[in-house]
Amino acid sequence: MTKNDIVIGVWPTLVYRDGQAALKFLTEGLGFTLVASFPGAAEGSIAHAELAWPTGGGVMVSSVDRNSEPNEFDKLADGCSSVYLVHDDPDALFARATAAGATVVRELREEDYGSRGFSVADPEGNFWSIGTYRGEIGK
């Protein structure tokens, strides 16, 4: 399978009040790679951004001021989301995330189902849980 054959079939999508701060946190604090970013209507806003996760998959991000008129997806910025990320070295990522100012929700720990991980909140309160558990799909 080549890079062009890979299809990501699920894209968690988050809407932020401050999209630029979200991109900074996700890239510098958690280690996502910014793959694409398109400006929105307001200065500094993000109409659409795609971020790749090192072990596969990714998330899409936008900001509420991406359009000249509000729309139904802007409501997503009013609530909190939770995303789980698989990572082989949660200890190193915990250090990176907390050094970048992440708010710790759940300290680094061993889980009874065999995962080691932690949870942090981004600047707008969304939870990002990181652990070694890869799920049962594909086993």
Coordinates of all heavy atoms in Angstrom, one line a residue, residues 7-8 12-13 24-25 30 33 40 63 79 83 85 91 96 117 125 128 132 135:
V7 N -6.4 5.5 3.4 CA -7.7 6.3 3.6 C -7.9 6.4 5.1 O -8.0 5.4 5.8 CB -8.9 5.6 2.9 CG1 -10.1 6.4 3.2 CG2 -8.6 5.5 1.4
I8 N -8.0 7.6 5.6 CA -8.4 7.9 6.9 C -9.9 8.0 6.9 O -10.5 8.9 6.3 CB -7.7 9.2 7.5 CG1 -6.2 9.2 7.3 CG2 -8.1 9.4 8.9 CD1 -5.5 8.0 8.0
P12 N -11.9 13.1 13.8 CA -12.5 14.0 14.8 C -12.3 15.5 14.4 O -11.2 15.8 13.9 CB -11.7 13.7 16.1 CG -11.1 12.3 15.8 CD -10.9 12.2 14.3
T13 N -13.3 16.3 14.6 CA -13.3 17.7 14.2 C -13.6 18.5 15.4 O -14.6 18.3 16.1 CB -14.3 17.9 13.1 OG1 -14.1 17.0 12.0 CG2 -14.3 19.3 12.6
K24 N -1.1 25.7 17.8 CA 0.2 25.7 18.6 C 0.2 24.6 19.6 O 1.2 23.9 19.8 CB 0.4 27.1 19.2 CG 1.7 27.2 19.9 CD 1.9 28.6 20.5 CE 3.2 28.6 21.2 NZ 3.8 29.9 21.5
F25 N -0.8 24.5 20.4 CA -0.9 23.5 21.4 C -0.8 22.1 20.8 O 0.0 21.2 21.3 CB -2.2 23.6 22.3 CG -2.4 22.5 23.2 CD1 -1.7 22.5 24.4 CD2 -3.2 21.4 22.9 CE1 -1.8 21.4 25.3 CE2 -3.3 20.3 23.8 CZ -2.6 20.3 25.0
L30 N 1.5 18.5 21.8 CA 1.2 17.1 21.7 C 1.9 16.4 20.6 O 2.0 15.1 20.5 CB -0.3 16.9 21.5 CG -1.2 17.2 22.7 CD1 -2.7 17.0 22.4 CD2 -0.8 16.4 23.9
T33 N 1.4 16.9 13.4 CA 2.1 17.6 12.3 C 1.0 18.3 11.5 O 0.0 17.7 11.1 CB 2.8 16.6 11.4 OG1 3.8 15.9 12.2 CG2 3.4 17.3 10.2
G40 N -9.5 31.6 7.3 CA -10.9 31.9 7.4 C -11.2 33.4 7.0 O -10.3 34.1 6.6
S63 N -11.8 27.5 13.4 CA -12.2 28.5 14.4 C -13.5 29.1 14.1 O -14.0 29.1 12.9 CB -11.1 29.6 14.5 OG -10.8 30.1 13.2
G79 N -18.8 23.6 23.9 CA -18.7 22.4 24.7 C -17.3 21.8 24.7 O -16.4 22.4 24.1
V83 N -10.7 13.3 22.9 CA -10.0 12.6 21.8 C -9.0 11.7 22.5 O -8.2 12.1 23.3 CB -9.4 13.5 20.8 CG1 -8.7 12.7 19.7 CG2 -10.4 14.4 20.2
L85 N -5.6 9.3 21.9 CA -4.4 9.2 21.0 C -3.6 8.0 21.4 O -3.2 8.0 22.6 CB -3.6 10.5 20.9 CG -4.4 11.8 20.6 CD1 -3.5 13.0 20.9 CD2 -4.8 11.8 19.2
D91 N 5.2 8.6 28.6 CA 6.0 9.4 29.6 C 6.7 10.6 28.9 O 6.6 11.7 29.5 CB 7.1 8.4 30.2 CG 6.5 7.3 31.0 OD1 6.0 6.4 30.4 OD2 6.5 7.5 32.2
R96 N 6.4 16.6 27.5 CA 6.3 17.6 26.5 C 5.0 18.4 26.6 O 5.0 19.6 26.5 CB 6.3 16.9 25.1 CG 6.1 17.8 23.9 CD 6.1 17.0 22.6 NE 6.0 17.9 21.5 CZ 6.3 17.6 20.3 NH1 6.7 16.4 20.0 NH2 6.1 18.5 19.3
G117 N -0.9 5.7 30.4 CA -1.3 7.0 29.7 C -1.7 8.1 30.7 O -1.5 7.9 31.9
G125 N -10.3 23.7 27.0 CA -11.0 22.7 27.8 C -11.2 21.3 27.2 O -11.8 20.5 27.9
W128 N -7.6 15.6 25.9 CA -6.8 14.7 25.1 C -6.2 13.6 25.9 O -5.4 13.9 26.8 CB -5.7 15.6 24.4 CG -6.3 16.6 23.5 CD1 -6.7 17.9 23.9 CD2 -6.5 16.5 22.1 NE1 -7.2 18.5 22.8 CE2 -7.1 17.7 21.7 CE3 -6.3 15.5 21.2 CZ2 -7.4 17.9 20.4 CZ3 -6.6 15.7 19.9 CH2 -7.2 16.9 19.5
T132 N -1.0 3.9 25.6 CA -0.4 2.8 24.8 C -1.4 1.8 24.3 O -1.1 1.0 23.4 CB 0.7 2.0 25.6 OG1 0.0 1.5 26.8 CG2 1.8 2.9 25.9
G135 N -6.5 -0.5 21.1 CA -7.9 -0.9 20.8 C -7.9 -2.4 20.3 O -6.8 -3.0 20.1

